[in-house]
Amino acid sequence: MKCKFTVFIPFVLLFATVLSSCNDYLDVVPKGRKIPKTLADFEALMRDEYTNQRFPIAQATLLLNDYYERQENLNYSQLSRINYMWEEGTSRINFNNTSEGTYYTGYAAISTFNLLVQYVPTATEATEQQRKTLVAQAKLARAMHYFVLVNYYADTYEAANAGSKLSVPLIESADISAPHKQVTIQEMYDYILLNITEALPDLPADGATVVHATVAAAHAFRARVYLQMGNYPEALQAADMALAENDQLFDWTAYYESYKDLIEQPGLYPSLPSPKGYDYVENYIFGHGEVAFASSENDVRVDRAGRFEPGDASFAARWKLRTLGNETYYQSITAGRYNQGGITTAEVYLIKAECLARNNDLTGAMQALNAVRAKRILPQSYTALSAANTRDAINLIRRTKENEMLFTIVAFADMRRFNKDPQYARTLTKKADNVTLSLKPESHLWTMPFPLGAINNPGNGTIKQNVNQ
């Protein structure tokens, strides 16, 4: 990443307020404040990683049981406990003000990108192409946030009913009092795709930083969206176009060998440098996860660790089994940055693999899958996989992808997508206090309730709750 700095959100709110006020006040700048005018002023907002490049999805990750949650945290947050312990009989709606980050972080970022789309065309000290590029990057970033919101707060996409089910509010203006509408799932996906289509002609091959969208990032994101919609031909085409721009894969087996002595030393829990940060060779675009500038990954449950393939170097290099008191889990042993909100080549390889499998090209599907696995599975454990049929192929692809996309919205979105297909629907099970718990594919827990703050204060529009409890 060439350069990076943070701009605080009051800067954005000030600008939105001033520009939505009477023109007489446009030249009145509060003391100590600055209204952006130049391209550099606006471009600083794109670099505001804490506000605009963060994709928190805590409750989705808790529902998946993809990380180890300590008992004291469950005692503190009833909403977290309901999701983590799959308590279907307890309504989450009244507890949802304890976890509003996904909603408000997403819409704060969308407000910033709406602002850029609206006002960058008049930015000074810039060429016309520079203005177009920043607007295009804002449109792609806006679409990425809407993808998270629609896959978190609305039902998963199904062509048969997407036009009749509500999704999330669609807000296209940065003006504080602008009206908005809660659109259908189909309308939201159409809007996401429209943003990608409009952005592509003006995106560069290389971004100023790894949070600035490129042509490759747009194709990769388009592949993700079309896969979620079940449009496999379009997803495959987009995946191929993204991989034509960047098809590099990080060699986790070599990374493991470099730190093998530290990793395998009994009783030692090192802080190895995370390779998944700004300079990760797999990055198309970078985004933070639950915590901006996180210094380590979440710990992993023992039963969740069992779903990694034997000999997976990426797992062995990132987590190590630990027991403290009566708690046993896999502790994170890397430190640095983690691209949990962006898009990587590994995801796109696996999108391609699934699309080929759906088209019954089993050889091509396994080639794409094995390209990723060859960089993950230690040589002594690696065997190239083959599949006898589409279902076997997809199950193999799915295993790798679930682990690659751990702690991202994709892991949650994929699980919901597969749950709508009887061939691939899966009931999750676990033991807690010697009691077997389960989460069925049809559970209402798979859709998160809107925060009460959003329901009670919808602004210039209305919001209908998408779940009953």
Side-chain angles (χ1 to χ4, degrees):
M1 192 171 186
K2 296 177 182 177
C3 54
K4 168 176 64 69
F5 53 88
T6 300
V7 182
F8 294 105
I9 190 64
F11 179 71
V12 183
L13 295 178
L14 166 72
F15 186 52
T17 302
V18 171
L19 288 181
S20 63
S21 302
C22 298
N23 289 335
D24 292 345
Y25 295 96
L26 286 178
D27 295 325
V28 180
V29 182
K31 186 176 181 180
R33 304 284 188 170
K34 179 181 180 181
I35 297 175
K37 295 180 179 179
T38 69
L39 185 80
D41 292 338
F42 286 106
E43 204 269 345
L45 300 178
M46 183 66 70
R47 299 170 187 252
D48 178 3
E49 294 177 47
Y50 181 83
T51 305
N52 302 320
Q53 311 297 345
R54 185 162 57 95
F55 299 82
I57 55 162
Q59 296 303 318
T61 308
L62 280 164
L63 188 73
L64 288 171
N65 272 222
D66 274 352
Y67 68 83
Y68 181 79
E69 184 63 294
R70 285 161 177 77
Q71 187 60 48
E72 59 264 29
N73 294 335
L74 298 179
N75 293 338
Y76 171 77
S77 171
Q78 190 158 357
L79 179 65
S80 295
R81 195 196 72 230
I82 294 170
N83 284 321
Y84 191 69
M85 301 304 290
W86 305 332
E87 295 179 1
E88 292 187 313
T90 307
S91 175
R92 298 171 297 172
I93 292 174
N94 292 331
F95 300 110
N96 206 29
N97 276 1
T98 62
S99 183
E100 301 176 313
T102 302
Y103 189 88
Y104 290 114
T105 298
Y107 278 108
I110 287 167
S111 179
T112 298
F113 298 128
N114 285 341
L115 185 152
L116 295 179
V117 171
Q118 284 180 250
Y119 297 111
V120 164
T122 61
T124 62
E125 299 180 25
T127 66
E128 184 62 21
Q129 187 54 55
Q130 286 174 326
R131 297 186 192 98
K132 288 181 177 180
T133 293
L134 188 55
V135 168
Q137 290 169 331
K139 286 183 176 181
L140 192 76
R142 177 171 66 183
M144 289 180 66
H145 280 281
Y146 270 125
F147 181 85
V148 172
L149 291 168
V150 73
N151 279 282
Y152 196 86
Y153 292 111
D155 284 352
T156 195
Y157 183 93
E158 294 179 279
N161 57 39
S164 59
K165 289 186 175 183
L166 289 176
S167 65
V168 298
L170 175 57
I171 303 174
E172 297 184 84
S173 174
D175 295 342
I176 292 174
S177 60
H180 63 80
K181 177 185 176 183
Q182 186 179 4
V183 297
T184 67
I185 295 172
Q186 184 65 59
E187 288 173 318
M188 181 53 71
Y189 272 84
D190 289 344
Y191 183 72
I192 289 169
L193 290 170
L194 176 64
N195 274 259
I196 300 171
T197 299
E198 291 180 346
L200 266 167
D202 294 311
L203 289 174
D206 298 299
T209 75
V210 74
V211 302
H212 288 73
T214 62
V215 170
H219 288 311
F221 180 55
R222 187 161 59 96
R224 176 190 288 179
V225 174
Y226 274 124
L227 182 72
Q228 194 65 29
M229 298 175 72
N231 189 333
Y232 306 118
E234 290 287 355
L236 177 59
Q237 180 188 60
D240 280 334
M241 294 177 78
L243 291 170
E245 298 287 334
N246 178 17
D247 63 356
Q248 294 185 77
L249 288 165
F250 183 77
D251 192 342
W252 279 100
T253 66
Y255 180 90
Y256 179 86
E257 290 298 329
S258 296
Y259 295 101
K260 183 177 179 179
D261 291 343
L262 292 174
I263 293 168
E264 296 185 354
Q265 185 174 330
L268 179 66
Y269 296 88
S271 292
L272 307 179
S274 168
K276 300 189 72 174
Y278 302 127
D279 297 326
Y280 195 42
V281 297
E282 297 186 3
N283 287 340
Y284 287 117
I285 190 167
F286 184 92
H288 296 277
E290 184 66 28
V291 180
F293 314 116
S295 59
S296 64
E297 292 185 280
N298 290 314
D299 299 331
V300 176
R301 291 174 56 92
V302 173
D303 52 1
R304 180 60 183 84
R307 284 161 49 192
F308 279 81
E309 190 174 344
D312 191 321
S314 69
F315 177 81
R318 292 156 65 193
W319 293 282
K320 190 170 182 178
L321 188 65
R322 185 167 199 176
T323 298
L324 288 175
N326 61 354
E327 297 184 289
T328 299
Y329 53 91
Y330 280 86
Q331 180 175 307
S332 171
I333 58 171
T334 61
R337 301 286 177 258
Y338 304 91
N339 189 2
Q340 296 175 347
I343 312 174
T344 64
T345 57
E347 178 188 350
V348 175
Y349 270 99
L350 297 168
I351 290 173
K352 177 176 181 175
E354 182 178 341
C355 292
L356 291 171
R358 299 278 187 179
N359 197 38
N360 206 35
D361 181 355
L362 303 183
T363 300
M366 292 298 98
Q367 286 176 345
L369 171 61
N370 286 325
V372 176
R373 291 180 61 253
K375 299 294 186 178
R376 271 57 176 168
I377 310 303
L378 294 169
Q380 59 270 30
S381 301
Y382 179 82
T383 301
L385 296 176
S386 60
N389 52 56
T390 295
R391 183 174 180 178
D392 288 345
I394 290 178
N395 283 331
L396 291 171
I397 295 162
R398 185 179 179 184
R399 175 180 63 178
T400 295
K401 192 178 180 191
E402 286 178 352
N403 296 328
E404 284 292 326
M405 306 311 298
L406 199 69
F407 310 142
T408 74
I409 190 61
V410 174
F412 184 64
D414 273 358
M415 187 69 77
R416 294 178 357 131
R417 175 169 64 90
F418 282 119
N419 279 345
K420 295 296 184 179
D421 186 338
Q423 286 192 89
Y424 304 106
R426 180 190 299 167
T427 296
L428 301 181
T429 61
K430 69 176 179 182
K431 279 196 172 183
D433 298 326
N434 295 318
V435 176
T436 299
L437 304 177
S438 63
L439 178 65
K440 295 181 179 179
E442 64 273 17
S443 173
H444 68 273
L445 295 177
W446 288 108
T447 299
M448 298 295 161
F450 287 120
L452 282 176
I455 295 293
N456 295 333
N457 300 285
N460 192 4
T462 59
I463 305 174
K464 181 180 179 180
Q465 188 62 266
N466 283 332
V467 295
N468 294 324
Q469 58 181 341

